[in-house]
Coordinates of all heavy atoms in Angstrom, one line a residue:
F1 N 69.5 224.2 100.1 CA 68.6 224.0 101.1 C 68.4 222.6 101.6 O 68.2 222.3 102.7 CB 67.2 224.6 100.7 CG 67.2 226.0 100.4 CD1 67.0 226.5 99.1 CD2 67.5 227.0 101.4 CE1 67.0 227.8 98.8 CE2 67.6 228.3 101.1 CZ 67.3 228.8 99.8
L2 N 68.5 221.6 100.6 CA 68.2 220.3 100.9 C 69.4 219.4 101.2 O 69.2 218.3 101.6 CB 67.3 219.7 99.8 CG 66.0 220.3 99.5 CD1 65.3 219.7 98.3 CD2 65.1 220.3 100.8
L3 N 70.6 219.8 100.8 CA 71.8 219.0 101.0 C 72.0 218.6 102.4 O 72.4 217.4 102.7 CB 73.0 219.7 100.4 CG 74.3 218.9 100.3 CD1 74.1 217.7 99.4 CD2 75.4 219.7 99.9
S4 N 71.8 219.5 103.3 CA 72.1 219.2 104.7 C 71.1 218.1 105.2 O 71.4 217.3 106.1 CB 72.0 220.4 105.6 OG 70.7 221.0 105.5
F5 N 69.9 218.1 104.7 CA 68.9 217.1 105.1 C 69.2 215.7 104.4 O 68.9 214.7 105.0 CB 67.5 217.5 104.7 CG 67.0 218.7 105.5 CD1 66.8 219.9 104.9 CD2 66.8 218.6 106.9 CE1 66.4 221.0 105.6 CE2 66.3 219.7 107.6 CZ 66.1 220.9 107.0
K6 N 69.8 215.8 103.2 CA 70.0 214.5 102.5 C 71.3 213.8 103.0 O 71.3 212.6 102.9 CB 70.2 214.8 101.0 CG 68.9 215.2 100.3 CD 69.1 215.4 98.9 CE 67.8 215.7 98.2 NZ 68.0 215.8 96.8
R7 N 72.2 214.5 103.5 CA 73.4 213.9 104.0 C 73.1 213.2 105.3 O 72.5 213.7 106.2 CB 74.5 214.9 104.3 CG 74.9 215.6 103.0 CD 76.0 216.5 103.2 NE 77.2 215.8 103.6 CZ 78.3 216.3 104.0 NH1 78.4 217.6 104.1 NH2 79.4 215.6 104.3
R8 N 73.6 212.0 105.4 CA 73.4 211.2 106.6 C 74.6 211.4 107.5 O 75.7 211.4 107.1 CB 73.3 209.7 106.3 CG 72.1 209.4 105.5 CD 72.0 207.9 105.3 NE 70.8 207.7 104.5 CZ 70.5 206.5 104.0 NH1 71.3 205.5 104.2 NH2 69.4 206.3 103.3
H9 N 74.3 211.7 108.8 CA 75.3 211.9 109.8 C 75.4 210.6 110.6 O 75.0 210.6 111.7 CB 75.0 213.1 110.6 CG 74.8 214.4 109.8 ND1 75.9 215.0 109.3 CD2 73.8 215.1 109.5 CE1 75.5 216.1 108.7 NE2 74.2 216.2 108.7
N10 N 76.1 209.6 110.0 CA 76.3 208.4 110.7 C 77.6 208.5 111.5 O 78.6 208.8 111.0 CB 76.4 207.2 109.8 CG 75.1 206.9 109.1 OD1 74.0 207.3 109.6 ND2 75.1 206.3 107.9
R11 N 77.5 208.3 112.8 CA 78.7 208.4 113.6 C 79.3 207.0 113.7 O 78.6 206.0 113.6 CB 78.3 208.8 115.0 CG 77.5 210.1 115.1 CD 78.5 211.2 115.1 NE 77.8 212.5 115.3 CZ 78.1 213.5 114.7 NH1 79.1 213.5 113.8 NH2 77.4 214.6 114.8
V12 N 80.6 206.9 113.7 CA 81.3 205.7 113.9 C 81.3 205.3 115.3 O 81.6 206.0 116.2 CB 82.8 205.8 113.4 CG1 83.6 204.6 113.6 CG2 82.8 206.2 111.9
R13 N 80.8 204.1 115.5 CA 80.7 203.6 116.9 C 82.0 202.8 117.3 O 82.4 201.9 116.5 CB 79.5 202.7 117.0 CG 79.2 202.3 118.4 CD 77.9 201.5 118.5 NE 78.2 200.3 119.2 CZ 77.4 199.2 119.3 NH1 76.3 199.2 118.6 NH2 77.8 198.2 119.9
A14 N 82.6 203.1 118.4 CA 83.8 202.4 118.8 C 83.6 202.0 120.3 O 83.5 202.8 121.2 CB 85.0 203.3 118.7
D15 N 83.5 200.7 120.5 CA 83.3 200.2 121.8 C 84.7 199.7 122.3 O 85.5 199.3 121.6 CB 82.4 199.0 121.9 CG 81.0 199.4 121.5 OD1 80.6 200.6 121.8 OD2 80.2 198.6 120.9
D16 N 84.9 199.8 123.6 CA 86.1 199.3 124.2 C 86.1 197.8 124.1 O 85.1 197.2 124.4 CB 86.3 199.8 125.7 CG 86.5 201.3 125.8 OD1 87.1 201.8 124.8 OD2 86.1 201.9 126.8
V17 N 87.3 197.3 123.7 CA 87.4 195.8 123.6 C 88.0 195.3 124.8 O 89.0 195.8 125.3 CB 88.3 195.5 122.4 CG1 88.5 194.0 122.2 CG2 87.7 196.2 121.1
A18 N 87.4 194.2 125.4 CA 87.9 193.6 126.6 C 89.2 192.9 126.3 O 90.1 192.9 127.1 CB 86.8 192.7 127.2
C19 N 89.3 192.1 125.2 CA 90.4 191.4 124.9 C 91.2 192.1 123.8 O 90.7 192.2 122.7 CB 90.1 190.0 124.4 SG 91.5 189.0 123.9
R20 N 92.3 192.7 124.1 CA 93.0 193.5 123.1 C 94.0 192.7 122.3 O 94.9 193.3 121.6 CB 93.7 194.7 123.8 CG 92.7 195.6 124.4 CD 93.4 196.8 125.1 NE 92.5 197.6 125.8 CZ 92.0 198.8 125.3 NH1 92.5 199.2 124.1 NH2 91.2 199.5 125.9
E21 N 93.9 191.4 122.3 CA 94.9 190.6 121.5 C 94.5 190.4 120.1 O 95.3 190.0 119.3 CB 95.0 189.3 122.2 CG 95.6 189.4 123.6 CD 95.6 188.0 124.3 OE1 95.2 187.0 123.7 OE2 96.0 188.0 125.5
L22 N 93.2 190.7 119.8 CA 92.8 190.4 118.4 C 92.0 191.6 117.9 O 91.1 192.1 118.6 CB 91.8 189.2 118.4 CG 91.2 188.8 117.1 CD1 92.2 188.3 116.1 CD2 90.1 187.7 117.3
T23 N 92.3 192.0 116.7 CA 91.6 193.1 116.1 C 91.1 192.7 114.7 O 91.9 192.1 113.9 CB 92.5 194.4 115.9 OG1 93.0 194.8 117.2 CG2 91.7 195.5 115.3
V24 N 89.8 192.9 114.4 CA 89.3 192.6 113.1 C 88.7 193.8 112.5 O 88.0 194.6 113.1 CB 88.1 191.5 113.3 CG1 87.5 191.2 112.0 CG2 88.6 190.3 114.0
A25 N 89.1 194.0 111.2 CA 88.5 195.2 110.5 C 87.8 194.7 109.3 O 88.4 193.9 108.5 CB 89.7 196.1 110.1
L26 N 86.6 195.1 109.1 CA 85.8 194.6 107.9 C 85.4 195.9 107.1 O 85.0 196.9 107.7 CB 84.5 193.9 108.3 CG 84.7 192.6 109.1 CD1 83.4 192.1 109.5 CD2 85.4 191.6 108.1
T27 N 85.6 195.8 105.8 CA 85.1 196.9 105.0 C 83.7 196.5 104.5 O 83.6 195.5 103.8 CB 86.0 197.2 103.8 OG1 86.2 196.0 103.1 CG2 87.4 197.7 104.3
A28 N 82.7 197.1 105.0 CA 81.3 196.6 104.7 C 80.4 197.8 104.5 O 79.4 197.9 105.1 CB 80.8 195.8 105.9

């Protein structure tokens, strides 16, 4: 009963990048 309420449904946000020459990935 409570597992669905306890799980967080965080969506990954992906914005379009204006300058596609540089990509940065951080594990945070």
